[in-house]
Amino acid sequence: MSDIEKRIEELTKELNYHTHKYYIEDAPEITDFEFDKMLVELERLEEKYPEFKKSNSPTARVGGEAVSSFEQVHHDVPMLSQQKAFSKEEILDFDRRVRAVVPNVSYVVEQKIDGLSVSLEYADGEFVRGSTRGDGITGEDVTENLKTIRTVPLSLKDKIPYLEVRGEVFLSRDNFQKINDIMEATGQQLFANPRNAAAGSLRQLDPKIASQRNLDIFVFNIQQIRGVDILTHTQGLEFLKEQGFKTILDKSTYDTIDKAYERIMEIGEERGKLYFDIDGAVIKINNLAARDILGDTSKFPRWSIAYKYPAEKKTTVIQDIKVQVGRTGAITPLAILDTVHIAGTNVSRATLHNLDFIREKDIRIGDTVVIQKAGDIIPAVVEVIKEKRTGHEKEFEMPQNCLECGAPIVREEGEAVYRCTGVNCPAQRFRNIIHFVSRTAMDVDGLGPSVIEQMLNRNLIETAADLYYVQTEDIEDMDKMGKKSASNLVNALEKSKSNPLYRLINAFGIRLIGEKAAKVLAAKYKTLDNLIKADRTELTALEDIGEKMADSIIRFFAQEQTKQFIKRLEDAGVNCVDNSENTIVDKRFEGMTFVLTGTLANFKRSDAGKIIENYGGKTSSSVSKKTTYVLAGAEAGSKLDKAQSLGITVISEAEFEEMIK
């Protein structure tokens, strides 16, 4: 074995060991800096000597190449769902059915993770394939995405001839919140809950996106195994833990259904304290031979049942109503409650959503109310007990100015939410800065959410303008940074100063103003100063700028916070002039509107959109009678159908390429 191959093997083994210590055992032995230093060395060696790369290399965690679609996978052992119970009586009925066939059984009870069920397959101890549950018989091959999950072992401790396990991919509550913060900051649709986020992340065609989501997994069942004899469920989970899997291992077994039900109730009390979501608890027979005797129906196994927790309700009193400013500027009223114990936690606050919700339910300060945990996470007021009113209750009024920064609070026509308009509002800093440096705004390479968070925590920055005053030595000792990365980031910030004016306007994050409107404004006013001086009549005269957008622009630039923010940008040397000289010479698409749909083979849709705009045309996200062409790629959907129904001309990618020659 050569020295290079030996070093690659050493690094692979060492990094996999520390990954297990950090993510499975929660007992790290080295710093992130030391880990990353070894990982970079391994990446460079594998790039130079790919013939020596190991199948279990930790570099697979960062994501491989994107695919155009997922291959189907047939499950030899069906991935069945669970029969459900909603009461103790149904649990007792399950026990009677079981004991009628197998009189002497013991049970195990496990948390039912609210995530996405997957299969992991190993051959000779190496991870070879991972797939989604799908319909239980046929799933999708998501191997590359599953490799990015650090709690999925790429190699097992022993070279087991064949092993298939079933697990649940999930997102922690903290990671779910971080992902939604980023989605909101970059103008993308938010995930409804951690389960949806986990499912959406695992089914990304580009594994690099999945790798950024920090997915996790708990393994809870052996589907198939060869070369090892396993007699009980608890023995199987102990074995899986030894092999390197992350399992929810409750070693207790219960000889009676009453004791098993007591454990279900205990889990119900504990669920509010967990860092992940559960949607119930599962009772399983421990002995695998007894499971075989009972068998399965076409939908679920006869040897297990899932108990679903009802939403717990409690009565309490609203002592006050205060407002909270979210990271997107949304003002949310919160009820301050007499503390009650519900779903395993003490609750002293509950969301009231918005002013319309408060008025609709006639909620007042001093009211006696019924609360419950929506999805067992967020406490919410569901009912007012008006019979208990004394006449001393007070109606709530929304404040006119933000309590965090003093900027005006506004409610756009047709919206339920009130918002803070402050550009420097402390509650919105993280979101505002993420948007400012995003790809369609100032496009600062290497400045991700974790780096921004560290800068804020170190008080290096308060607003996005402060980024241009950060020096290499200020950040080189941050996690996952180093001197070279810090220098690259400072250089990227310096480069962004010369961006076109429209990028800066978009980066401001002015409500209702996106990239397209920013281009219109930059082309019309040429300088930021001219735009600041524009009045409502001028703005609304522009194509694509409506009355609400004009009001939002004027309101933004009128604030003292905005003036200070722009002054700091100008002092740093950020370009505030439309100096691109991008007068359109070839106007072949002037007056035309294109809608792009489906997957293009030779262009990203964003790149095709830029080509259209460079030729004087416009792009739109929706099909209407004003649409000139619909450019349809592979797997085009409802937009293509609508175009055909309206008689809009549909062009292929090849036809588009002819048009731009």
Side-chain angles (χ1 to χ4, degrees):
M1 183 184 293
S2 69
D3 290 343
I4 297 296
E5 186 177 2
K6 186 177 180 181
R7 181 55 180 162
I8 288 176
E9 188 171 288
E10 288 173 351
L11 287 168
T12 300
K13 185 176 180 181
E14 184 80 0
L15 286 163
N16 282 334
Y17 169 80
H18 288 297
T19 296
H20 183 85
K21 295 295 290 185
Y22 186 95
Y23 291 99
I24 307 294
E25 298 183 21
D26 197 22
E29 295 181 354
I30 61 174
T31 65
D32 287 350
F33 178 79
E34 292 170 309
F35 184 94
D36 290 341
K37 189 176 179 182
M38 284 193 289
L39 186 62
V40 168
E41 182 185 353
L42 180 60
E43 286 173 338
R44 288 172 179 168
L45 286 173
E46 287 178 344
E47 187 177 350
K48 196 171 182 179
Y49 305 98
E51 67 272 19
F52 297 141
K53 182 175 180 177
K54 305 298 178 184
S55 62
N56 64 336
S57 172
T59 58
R61 306 290 191 187
V62 300
E65 293 300 314
V67 296
S68 58
S69 62
F70 295 118
E71 297 289 332
Q72 288 193 336
V73 175
H74 176 77
H75 299 304
D76 293 334
V77 176
M79 297 178 69
L80 303 176
S81 58
Q82 291 285 347
Q83 54 182 316
K84 297 176 179 60
F86 300 91
S87 67
K88 185 175 182 180
E89 288 69 28
E90 290 173 286
I91 295 295
L92 295 175
D93 286 342
F94 164 75
D95 181 60
R96 282 191 284 270
R97 292 194 300 271
V98 166
R99 293 186 188 277
V101 180
V102 188
N104 298 314
V105 295
S106 63
Y107 296 111
V108 291
V109 182
E110 297 171 351
Q111 299 156 338
K112 186 175 183 297
I113 310 299
D114 193 13
L116 185 73
S117 201
V118 299
S119 159
L120 307 176
E121 297 175 66
Y122 293 80
D124 295 323
E126 300 296 319
F127 180 47
V128 292
R129 187 168 67 173
S131 53
T132 61
R133 176 180 176 271
D135 62 5
I137 303 299
T138 305
E140 293 177 316
D141 188 328
V142 289
T143 305
E144 294 305 313
N145 286 353
L146 285 166
K147 283 181 179 180
T148 70
I149 302 176
R150 288 171 174 80
T151 41
V152 170
L154 302 180
S155 295
L156 305 181
K157 177 186 172 186
D158 300 322
K159 292 191 177 297
I160 304 160
Y162 181 78
L163 172 68
E164 180 187 3
V165 298
R166 181 171 174 178
E168 198 82 0
V169 172
F170 68 96
L171 264 176
S172 71
R173 292 172 181 171
D174 284 348
N175 279 333
F176 168 68
Q177 186 59 56
K178 288 177 181 177
I179 288 170
N180 260 358
D181 285 340
I182 295 167
M183 300 289 276
E184 179 103 36
T186 52
Q188 301 177 69
Q189 186 175 349
L190 303 187
F191 289 113
N193 52 52
R195 186 191 185 283
N196 285 358
S201 301
L202 192 62
R203 296 192 73 257
Q204 289 287 335
L205 294 174
D206 187 352
K208 289 183 175 63
I209 297 176
S211 72
Q212 296 165 3
R213 299 283 173 83
N214 291 319
L215 295 168
D216 207 338
I217 189 172
F218 280 115
V219 171
F220 59 82
N221 200 61
I222 295 175
Q223 299 289 92
Q224 302 182 74
I225 189 168
R226 298 175 200 148
V228 179
D229 292 326
I230 303 292
L231 302 179
T232 66
H233 181 69
T234 50
Q235 180 192 356
L237 290 185
E238 284 277 18
F239 172 76
L240 293 179
K241 186 177 180 182
E242 291 171 3
Q243 294 303 315
F245 291 100
K246 182 175 180 177
T247 64
I248 296 183
L249 180 57
D250 188 338
K251 296 181 181 179
S252 300
T253 57
Y254 307 92
D255 294 330
T256 69
I257 197 65
D258 286 329
K259 289 180 180 177
Y261 185 76
E262 285 177 13
R263 177 57 188 147
I264 288 175
M265 293 298 101
E266 288 175 1
I267 291 174
E269 283 295 305
E270 296 165 358
R271 69 188 192 272
K273 301 173 185 176
L274 302 172
Y275 68 90
F276 51 86
D277 285 356
I278 64 172
D279 58 358
V282 183
I283 296 179
K284 301 177 181 178
I285 291 176
N286 191 34
N287 186 277
L288 302 187
R291 291 185 182 184
D292 289 339
I293 293 171
L294 284 161
D296 308 321
T297 71
S298 60
K299 294 182 178 179
F300 51 76
R302 294 189 177 93
W303 44 264
S304 68
I305 191 168
Y307 181 86
K308 305 287 282 188
Y309 296 112
E312 190 177 352
K313 297 180 179 180
K314 287 285 179 73
T315 301
T316 186
V317 175
I318 297 179
Q319 294 294 343
D320 199 359
I321 297 177
K322 296 185 176 179
V323 297
Q324 176 176 282
V325 187
R327 284 186 169 179
T328 63
I331 308 293
T332 305
L334 294 174
I336 309 302
L337 310 168
D338 282 344
T339 303
V340 289
H341 191 76
I342 181 170
T345 57
N346 290 325
V347 172
S348 58
R349 294 185 171 201
T351 180
L352 296 176
H353 304 293
N354 52 58
L355 190 60
D356 288 348
F357 178 84
I358 294 172
R359 295 288 184 257
E360 181 185 332
K361 290 190 174 290
D362 190 20
I363 298 170
R364 303 179 186 180
I365 298 169
D367 270 337
T368 300
V369 295
V370 177
I371 66 167
Q372 75 175 32
K373 279 194 171 182
D376 296 329
I377 303 172
I378 305 167
V381 173
V382 294
E383 183 184 352
V384 177
I385 305 177
K386 295 182 180 178
E387 296 80 17
K388 293 198 174 186
R389 281 184 174 166
T390 64
H392 296 291
E393 293 78 16
K394 298 178 183 177
E395 287 195 2
F396 167 75
E397 297 295 337
M398 187 68 74
Q400 294 183 337
N401 295 89
C402 176
L403 302 181
E404 295 280 349
C405 70
I409 290 173
V410 299
R411 178 181 183 176
E412 301 286 353
E413 185 180 343
E415 290 195 358
V417 178
Y418 283 78
R419 296 181 186 275
C420 166
T421 58
V423 66
N424 290 345
C425 182
Q428 301 179 69
R429 283 174 184 160
F430 182 68
R431 179 263 183 192
N432 288 347
I433 296 170
I434 287 175
H435 173 73
F436 188 90
V437 303
S438 63
R439 184 176 56 83
T440 59
M442 296 301 276
D443 193 21
V444 181
D445 189 39
L447 188 48
S450 63
V451 176
I452 292 169
E453 198 163 25
Q454 289 183 76
M455 287 183 176
L456 287 167
N457 291 339
R458 292 186 174 200
N459 297 317
L460 290 173
I461 57 174
E462 288 188 357
T463 72
D466 297 330
L467 291 168
Y468 293 105
Y469 297 86
V470 171
Q471 302 298 315
T472 301
E473 54 268 25
D474 296 330
I475 57 175
E476 63 185 9
D477 63 335
M478 293 197 319
D479 288 346
K480 299 182 179 181
M481 186 56 72
K483 191 166 186 176
K484 184 176 180 181
S485 296
S487 177
N488 289 341
L489 177 53
V490 171
N491 290 337
L493 283 163
E494 185 65 29
K495 180 183 176 183
S496 74
K497 290 180 182 180
S498 58
N499 277 339
L501 176 59
Y502 83 85
R503 284 190 171 274
L504 179 61
I505 296 172
N506 186 33
F508 286 148
I510 305 170
R511 183 146 177 79
L512 305 178
I513 304 301
E515 183 180 18
K516 188 177 294 185
K519 288 180 177 179
V520 171
L521 294 169
K524 168 65 178 176
Y525 290 102
K526 299 301 182 185
T527 72
L528 188 58
D529 189 51
N530 287 341
L531 174 58
I532 292 169
K533 294 173 182 176
D535 61 29
R536 192 174 191 272
T537 304
E538 285 181 31
L539 289 166
T540 53
L542 293 173
E543 189 176 4
D544 296 325
I545 304 295
E547 293 180 357
K548 290 182 182 179
M549 297 167 74
D551 290 340
S552 184
I553 293 165
I554 291 168
R555 190 185 304 119
F556 177 81
F557 287 118
Q559 289 184 53
E560 187 60 35
Q561 289 183 27
T562 303
K563 294 172 184 176
Q564 294 173 5
F565 180 62
I566 291 173
K567 176 68 164 59
R568 191 149 171 78
L569 288 170
E570 289 175 335
D571 290 346
V574 175
N575 174 55
C576 297
V577 178
D578 184 17
N579 56 9
S580 56
E581 297 296 333
N582 59 344
T583 303
I584 298 171
V585 177
D586 186 337
K587 298 183 179 182
R588 68 181 71 181
F589 292 153
E590 186 174 25
M592 300 181 187
T593 300
F594 289 70
V595 173
L596 285 67
T597 183
T599 304
L600 302 176
N602 300 320
F603 302 91
K604 290 182 180 178
R605 289 208 314 223
S606 58
D607 292 339
K610 287 176 182 176
I611 291 170
I612 291 165
E613 290 172 2
N614 288 341
Y615 285 136
K618 295 197 307 182
T619 59
S620 175
S621 59
S622 59
V623 179
S624 71
K625 291 181 180 179
K626 294 181 179 180
T627 304
T628 311
Y629 295 109
V630 169
L631 171 54
E635 299 179 8
S638 59
K639 292 178 183 177
L640 175 59
D641 296 336
K642 187 172 182 180
Q644 291 170 338
S645 69
L646 292 175
I648 305 297
T649 303
V650 178
I651 59 173
S652 67
E653 185 173 357
E655 289 171 315
F656 177 69
E657 289 177 337
E658 283 296 318
M659 293 170 74
I660 63 175
K661 276 186 178 179

